[in-house]
Amino acid sequence: RSNVKQLNYAWGLGEYGSLGVGEFRSKYHPTKVLVPPTIRKVSCGAMHTAFVDFDGNMYMCGSNEYG
């Protein structure tokens, strides 16, 4: 595993903080998101984003109504 943060991009509706960029505004162009090197999987839904680390821990942002 690397100590370097992974660079990912997010865009779309930011309602509920679902993009994981630290704010609740929508992003209409790809926006950089720094992800810790311990994250191995990312999954995006309509109103949430999920992150899973190498130890199997899951982290979520956005709405918890359906995600």
Side-chain angles (χ1 to χ4, degrees):
R1 292 184 241 183
S2 170
N3 289 330
V4 178
K5 289 189 177 184
Q6 304 169 38
L7 183 60
N8 292 280
Y9 293 88
W11 62 95
L13 295 177
E15 191 174 12
Y16 308 110
S18 60
L19 297 178
V21 296
E23 48 188 72
F24 291 82
R25 297 184 327 197
S26 295
K27 299 292 183 182
Y28 299 102
H29 302 286
T31 303
K32 293 178 183 178
V33 180
L34 291 176
V35 178
T38 57
I39 299 298
R40 67 180 177 104
K41 291 185 180 182
V42 178
S43 178
C44 302
M47 299 171 73
H48 68 277
T49 302
F51 304 87
V52 179
D53 67 13
F54 284 100
D55 294 326
N57 298 307
M58 180 178 281
Y59 304 91
M60 305 285 294
C61 57
S63 173
N64 63 359
E65 187 172 351
Y66 299 108

